[in-house]
Amino acid sequence: MKLLTLDTLYYLTGLIIAFIAIRVALDRNHPNRIGSGMFWGIFAVTFLFGNQIPPLYVGYLVLVMVVLASIGKVTKSNEKEVDVEERAGHAERLKNKVFIPAILIPLLTVVGTFTLDKINFGSVLLVDPKKVTLIALGLAMIIATITALRITGAKATVPVTEGSRLMQAVGWAVILPQMLAALGGIFAKAGIGEVVSGIVGDILPTQYAFVAVAAYCLGMMLFTIVMGNAFAAFAVITGGIGVPLIVNMHGGNPAIMAALGMFAGYCGTLMTPMAANFNIVPAMLLELKDKNAVVKTQLMTAIPVFIINMLLMYYLVYHF
């Protein structure tokens, strides 16, 4: 038995999104309160009742969300934001303390990953060992939120209301990570990885270890650029290139290959507008004139980091 599972965090997330749906539906000044309320309501249902609803019907609900977003019914409310003067005053008062909650999230996630699965109460485990990292991340976010409230002196309702405003600003792009990751799984089931493996084997001299690594890293980067999500690329490219070529053919270390392969995919994330929640949404929130400004700025970082990562993989994957 486990006290905390990933489902616990899903339920908490579902409650937060349900609150957003209720706020939107009751906001008479919202330009599309019915459509937006339905979108967030369905999204909340997938988190709260996803285990009870047959997958086919969850798919139908997702299609309804896609239709609502495609016809322009998912928009943000007309709630007034805090004026510039007040924000400047808070910034002056808090200074660098504002970064403490953000730093706590990765720090506590790492600590929790190495400790939480070792805590038990007799035969009862504190967390599910198979999901310890994700549970640690969720707990870290909760602790960081409480810390932010203590530092800022804000009311307990502020994270919910401001979170609602931010989620509405992000809009339909918030569901992209889940949908793209699911699409990667579908591609893997459909055998796309085997097709990719055959094409790469016919075109490139994969009998050379470096060529296999280069093909894997480039595949992760390019597929991520197309899909907009490294998780979607991982299932296809690792199954089609990484495992058969790097691991089976050349005896490479699968753990190192997978870790650095994801990093190659993340380099692709920096270079694509398809990663809307990372690259387009920030441009929208910052009200930049060029919606691709974030991608253009990141290119000069992504390319050298990708090259270094590929060379590092070639050395590490065959020596450890």
Side-chain angles (χ1 to χ4, degrees):
M1 179 179 177
K2 298 95 176 176
L3 292 179
L4 292 176
T5 66
L6 199 56
D7 285 344
T8 307
L9 299 178
Y10 285 155
Y11 295 143
L12 178 60
T13 303
L15 289 174
I16 294 172
I17 298 173
F19 177 80
I20 296 173
I22 293 171
R23 289 190 78 233
V24 170
L26 297 179
D27 184 1
R28 295 189 177 278
N29 294 321
H30 196 292
N32 288 294
R33 69 186 183 105
I34 302 300
S36 294
M38 287 179 60
F39 178 90
W40 295 112
I42 293 172
F43 196 34
V45 166
T46 63
F47 279 96
L48 292 171
F49 306 106
N51 287 338
Q52 288 73 44
I53 302 174
L56 177 64
Y57 296 104
V58 173
Y60 289 148
L61 291 174
V62 171
L63 288 177
V64 173
M65 295 174 68
V66 171
V67 170
L68 290 170
S70 63
I71 61 177
K73 295 299 181 181
V74 183
T75 57
K76 64 179 182 178
S77 66
N78 292 324
E79 293 179 311
K80 290 184 178 180
E81 299 183 19
V82 178
D83 58 54
V84 177
E85 290 77 11
E86 186 174 346
R87 279 184 284 178
H90 289 315
E92 180 63 27
R93 176 174 61 88
L94 297 172
K95 297 184 185 289
N96 290 332
K97 291 180 182 178
V98 74
F99 296 109
I100 294 176
I103 295 172
L104 279 177
I105 294 175
L107 178 63
L108 294 177
T109 300
V110 172
V111 173
T113 298
F114 288 106
T115 59
L116 291 179
D117 60 339
K118 297 177 176 61
I119 301 174
N120 62 77
F121 306 94
S123 61
V124 179
L125 299 176
L126 177 62
V127 301
D128 183 353
K130 296 180 180 178
K131 306 290 185 181
V132 63
T133 300
L134 292 175
I135 295 173
L137 173 61
L139 293 176
M141 293 170 67
I142 293 172
I143 295 172
T145 300
I146 296 172
T147 303
L149 290 174
R150 292 294 301 273
I151 291 174
T152 61
K155 297 180 180 178
T157 56
V158 171
V160 182
T161 55
E162 287 300 305
S164 171
R165 183 183 62 79
L166 182 60
M167 287 280 281
Q168 290 183 64
V170 174
W172 58 266
V174 75
I175 68 172
L176 278 178
Q178 296 99 312
M179 295 191 70
L180 291 172
L183 186 59
I186 293 172
F187 280 2
K189 287 287 186 181
I192 301 298
E194 297 175 3
V195 175
V196 172
S197 178
I199 294 173
V200 171
D202 291 339
I203 296 176
L204 300 176
T206 53
Q207 66 270 24
Y208 299 106
F210 179 76
V211 174
V213 168
Y216 178 57
C217 290
L218 284 168
M220 280 296 299
M221 182 185 72
L222 295 175
F223 209 83
T224 299
I225 289 174
V226 173
M227 297 293 296
N229 189 290
F231 291 98
F234 186 77
V236 176
I237 303 302
T238 300
I241 299 177
V243 173
L245 300 183
I246 296 177
V247 178
N248 295 341
M249 181 182 290
H250 297 289
N253 186 310
I256 295 174
M257 176 203 70
L260 295 181
M262 282 298 294
F263 198 75
Y266 296 152
C267 291
T269 301
L270 297 175
M271 294 187 274
T272 176
M274 287 297 292
N277 52 322
F278 289 107
N279 300 331
I280 303 302
V281 170
M284 294 167 53
L285 296 177
L286 295 172
E287 299 180 354
L288 303 179
K289 293 181 180 180
D290 183 359
K291 67 178 183 178
N292 293 313
V294 175
V295 175
K296 293 175 181 177
T297 302
Q298 292 172 164
L299 276 174
M300 293 301 102
T301 299
I303 293 173
V305 168
F306 171 79
I307 294 172
I308 293 171
N309 181 69
M310 182 172 62
L311 296 174
L312 188 63
M313 180 189 291
Y314 173 64
Y315 174 75
L316 295 177
V317 81
Y318 298 124
H319 292 84
F320 291 91

